[in-house]
Amino acid sequence: MSDDEDIPNLVPIENEREGDKVPITVITGFLGSGKTTLLNYILTEQHGRRIAVILNEFGEGSAIEKSMSVGQSGELFEEWLELRNGCLCCSVKDVGVKAIENLMKKKGKFDYILLETTGLADPGPIASMFWLDDELCSDIYLDGIITVTDAKYCLQHLKEVKPDNVINECIRQIALADVIILNKTDLVDEVSLSELKNEIKIINSMSTLIETQYSKIDVGVILNLNAYGTNCPDTLTISTGESHIDPLVTTATFETGGYINIEKLESFFNDLLWEKNYKDSSGNIIEIYRMKGVFSVRGDGKRHIVQAVHEIFDRSRTSDWEEGEEKINRIIFIGRNIDRTILKNSFLSCISD
């Protein structure tokens, strides 16, 4: 990073999820996992919710007719189709902001947005877009990332080796997920499914796992997650630090009592996420894909929630700690070359004297 680039501070935001903002959920997953099947199911099922769905491109045999028309000069005209069950849908060639901006002109006709990515997409930059684009953030907020996996072939994809030690897309999608849908569970036996669950939990112990067949799911379980908002991460479990088929990517969770020193915490995150100054015991840079934490600050009385995707992070104050409740500082790291000792010691050094 050049010297003239400013490192952003952690700016506390009060009640940033209130108001009439619309939640947006990113749907990702490896090729053939069942993403489009899931979205077509949502678009045709009578679930009583008004959902706007942005699909990358409609596949063959889609239940929804293609909603992109081509002009005389070959340019693409985006059209939003209103469906019988109250949903809206369109298809786009990429996940650019334009489709969302056009959708917001129809604000009031829907309550949720689902955005599909391509099967090879890293959802991290897409998630960061909703924090960095001020105009978008005035109308919508990121509710969560859903990763759809093929229970039959997911382990095979996880084992695929990339050149130059690059982490493959399937691992990245699992690492960044708030909810993981294990689809096509009817095609595997219990032993194989249990092995897959174990591998997923070692990569990302923060995610919720849901088993499905033909991508049929209760829509309510993937909506209103508030995974990037004021949802207190009490469910963050302490990771065992076990190794898996790719020991470079894993989860680490730490907790302690006392109070966090915000200035020390900011310095820690700047060095870790922006400056990339932290290395594991072998000299490899520690890369954070996803981070989430809840903290207590002396004299404040509020829970402080910190969220991060790659190098983008923010902090918000939420509800008061209950009277008599133990104030816990808890943080979870999901990423590559995680060194538990180094991260734990750095985190503990942020506790006030």
Side-chain angles (χ1 to χ4, degrees), residues 28 43 59 78-79 88 142 184 207 279 295 316 318:
T28 188
L43 287 170
E78 183 183 293
E79 296 178 359
L88 295 168
L142 180 61
K184 306 181 184 181
S207 61
K279 297 181 180 181
F295 310 106
S316 59
T318 66

Side-chain angles (χ1 to χ4, degrees), residues 195-213:
E195 181 183 1
L196 175 58
K197 288 180 180 179
N198 184 59
E199 295 295 341
I200 288 174
K201 276 299 182 184
I202 293 171
I203 296 172
N204 183 349
S205 66
M206 183 177 67
S207 61
T208 300
L209 301 184
I210 300 174
E211 299 178 27
T212 64
Q213 299 176 14

Side-chain angles (χ1 to χ4, degrees), residues 45-163:
E45 185 71 8
Q46 295 298 325
H47 43 66
R49 292 176 172 86
R50 301 184 306 169
I51 302 173
V53 176
I54 303 174
L55 298 113
N56 256 142
E57 288 185 281
F58 289 96
E60 294 297 325
S62 167
I64 312 299
E65 66 178 290
K66 196 173 182 68
S67 62
M68 196 71 82
S69 59
V70 180
Q72 292 182 348
S73 302
E75 68 271 24
L76 295 176
F77 292 97
E78 183 183 293
E79 296 178 359
W80 283 91
L81 299 180
E82 189 160 357
L83 307 176
R84 293 178 181 177
N85 66 349
C87 290
L88 295 168
C89 74
C90 83
S91 69
V92 293
K93 290 292 184 183
D94 55 42
V95 291
V97 176
K98 189 63 178 176
I100 301 174
E101 290 177 340
N102 288 345
L103 171 61
M104 295 312 295
K105 296 175 183 177
K106 300 178 179 291
K107 191 175 181 180
K109 289 189 174 183
F110 56 91
D111 302 306
Y112 311 91
I113 303 173
L114 300 183
L115 171 63
E116 179 197 26
T117 71
T118 65
L120 297 176
D122 176 357
I126 300 169
S128 300
M129 176 179 71
F130 300 111
W131 286 349
L132 296 176
D133 192 311
D134 292 336
E135 187 172 347
L136 270 184
C137 289
S138 66
D139 291 321
I140 63 176
Y141 67 89
L142 180 61
D143 190 51
I145 295 176
I146 312 298
T147 297
V148 185
T149 64
D150 183 332
K152 184 173 178 62
Y153 295 107
C154 186
L155 273 176
Q156 176 182 320
H157 294 320
L158 290 174
K159 294 177 182 178
E160 291 176 357
V161 178
K162 290 291 191 177

Side-chain angles (χ1 to χ4, degrees), residues 237-255:
T237 56
I238 302 299
S239 171
T240 62
E242 300 172 84
S243 62
H244 58 95
I245 52 181
D246 189 336
L248 296 179
V249 181
T250 190
T251 300
T253 313
F254 311 110
E255 68 175 29

Side-chain angles (χ1 to χ4, degrees), residues 17 122-124 127-128 131 142-146 171-179 203-207 225-229 231 233 236 249-253 269 272-273 276 286-293 305-314 331-336 338 343:
R17 301 308 184 203
D122 176 357
S128 300
W131 286 349
L142 180 61
D143 190 51
I145 295 176
I146 312 298
I171 292 178
R172 286 183 182 273
Q173 292 168 353
I174 288 175
L176 284 164
D178 299 296
V179 173
I203 296 172
N204 183 349
S205 66
M206 183 177 67
S207 61
L225 298 177
N226 202 13
Y228 290 81
N231 188 23
L236 300 187
V249 181
T250 190
T251 300
T253 313
F269 289 161
L272 175 66
L273 303 175
K276 310 294 185 185
I286 298 176
E287 299 178 48
I288 303 301
Y289 297 157
R290 182 82 161 90
M291 181 182 75
K292 188 171 186 177
I305 305 297
V306 169
Q307 299 277 357
V309 174
H310 295 308
E311 74 275 9
I312 307 301
F313 61 96
D314 70 0
I331 192 167
I332 182 168
F333 299 99
I334 301 172
R336 187 183 191 190
I338 295 293
L343 290 178

